Amino acid sequence: MADLKGKRIALLATHGFEQSELEVPRDRLTGMGAEVHVIAPEDGDIKGWDGDDWGRPVSIDKTLDQASMDDYDALVLPGGQINPDLLRVNDDALAFIKRAYESGKVLAAICHAPWLLVETGIAEGATMTSYPSVKTDVKNAGATWVDEAVVADNGLITSRNPDDLEVFSKKIAEEILEGQHTRAAA
């Protein structure tokens, strides 16, 4: 198991996140020794989506206006249909994501969260995967889309769905241990 002691990871979400796509990476990365903060535009709790109904609330560690990407080694973006759709119209969330990418931090998105990579321009030129219904958006944004459980492209990690959470979490740890990545600005 990877040793992530001393590493800090931001997990950006809002209401409607896919329950397992927030909780599994949070718990796996914490279990490897990382300090993981759940960050949201709003204060208090955010509520997940689990199956075909609302899931459990998750407490926020920091609001987006209290967080700086400079304090973290990686940013994880859980999917779900509602969560990334709300975040992709939030200028502060998009700026936070772009800051992670432009500063060479590991940036990981699963399921529908690659919409956020499309919205920020990060998808262009990358090799990525996503939930199948997001495939056309990813391709139209100039990315190469592949159907694989997890794809890493210079510290940019994407994954398809909750079935891929274990390999997604392991790849995040692996990429964090590689250190910062050099890339062009989005």
Side-chain angles (χ1 to χ4, degrees):
M1 182 187 302
D3 182 1
L4 296 178
K5 286 186 176 91
K7 302 297 183 183
R8 299 181 79 208
I9 300 167
L11 205 153
L12 177 62
T14 192
H15 298 288
F17 61 87
E18 180 67 35
Q19 198 80 42
S20 62
E21 292 174 2
L22 184 147
E23 292 176 343
V24 171
R26 178 198 64 197
D27 296 348
R28 297 297 182 272
L29 297 166
T30 300
M32 293 177 207
E35 183 180 344
V36 180
H37 291 164
V38 177
I39 298 168
E42 57 278 308
D43 198 10
D45 293 342
I46 53 174
K47 196 169 236 189
W49 190 262
D50 196 2
D52 59 359
D53 203 353
W54 289 102
R56 297 171 298 286
V58 170
S59 294
I60 299 308
D61 296 300
K62 291 185 178 188
T63 58
L64 198 48
D65 63 343
Q66 296 169 329
S68 170
M69 197 55 228
D70 295 338
D71 296 334
Y72 296 97
D73 299 290
L75 174 59
V76 178
L77 304 170
Q81 293 174 319
I82 300 167
N83 167 60
D85 199 40
L86 292 173
L87 290 176
R88 70 181 173 164
V89 295
N90 181 311
D91 291 337
D92 294 332
L94 297 175
F96 195 76
I97 295 164
K98 284 179 96 165
R99 176 72 183 136
Y101 183 79
E102 291 170 355
S103 61
K105 309 290 176 90
V106 171
L107 177 55
I110 188 167
C111 196
H112 287 75
W115 268 337
L116 297 164
L117 306 178
V118 168
E119 194 66 36
T120 56
I122 293 169
E124 186 174 358
T127 299
M128 298 171 47
T129 194
S130 66
Y131 195 73
S133 65
V134 181
K135 172 183 175 180
T136 300
D137 297 329
V138 168
K139 289 170 74 174
N140 285 343
T144 300
W145 188 90
V146 295
D147 186 12
E148 295 179 19
V150 66
V151 176
D153 184 349
N154 198 21
L156 179 64
I157 303 164
T158 50
S159 202
R160 300 174 300 194
N161 60 54
D163 293 338
D164 303 326
L165 282 166
E166 292 303 324
V167 293
F168 180 64
S169 299
K170 287 178 185 174
K171 183 55 76 173
I172 293 168
E174 180 183 305
E175 292 289 317
I176 289 171
L177 292 173
E178 283 184 10
Q180 288 194 316
H181 297 77
T182 305
R183 13 174 135 97

